[in-house]
Amino acid sequence: AMEAAFRVCEACRVNHNGKAIGNLLPLLKLEMERILPLDAHSVINEREGVVALAHRELFPNNRPVLTTKFDTREDLIEAVCDSSM
C-alpha cells in the first residue's frame, strides 16, 4: 500500500505539474485496479466481522450511505473512491 501511495505522489509530480487537486481520485482508482485482486470484493464480503465504507450521497438525495456488501470488484473500488471524496 505504501508503494501505491508513492506512485500516486510521483504521478502527481511528474504528470500533473506537482498538483494533486483534481488528480487524486483517478489516480486512486488506477492504483486500486492495479493492486486489488480480482476477487477482492469476495474476500471483503467473506471476512469475519463487518467491513463498511461510509460516504455522503449528494444526488439525488443528500444522505449518508454505509456500504457493507460489494457485489463486484468495481463496486468495492467505487465505494472506496466515494468514501475518499
Side-chain angles (χ1 to χ4, degrees):
M2 189 60 88
E3 291 85 11
F6 288 138
R7 283 191 297 268
V8 168
C9 290
E10 183 66 8
C12 285
R13 187 183 71 75
V14 171
N15 301 323
H16 303 290
N17 202 25
K19 297 180 181 171
I21 295 173
N23 299 311
L24 286 180
L25 200 56
L27 291 171
L28 172 63
K29 188 172 185 176
L30 181 67
E31 281 301 320
M32 285 190 299
E33 289 171 352
R34 181 179 187 182
I35 65 175
L36 288 179
L38 294 176
D39 66 341
H41 62 290
S42 297
V43 171
I44 295 292
N45 289 336
E46 294 167 5
R47 256 183 97 120
E48 188 174 324
V50 177
V51 175
L53 289 166
H55 71 278
R56 178 161 288 283
E57 179 182 88
L58 298 177
F59 183 83
N61 302 311
N62 185 354
R63 66 184 179 100
V65 176
L66 184 66
T67 306
T68 58
K69 283 288 184 194
F70 309 95
D71 293 329
T72 65
R73 181 174 177 260
E74 185 61 30
D75 287 345
L76 174 60
I77 291 171
E78 287 302 316
V80 171
C81 288
D82 290 345
S83 72
S84 299
M85 297 193 337

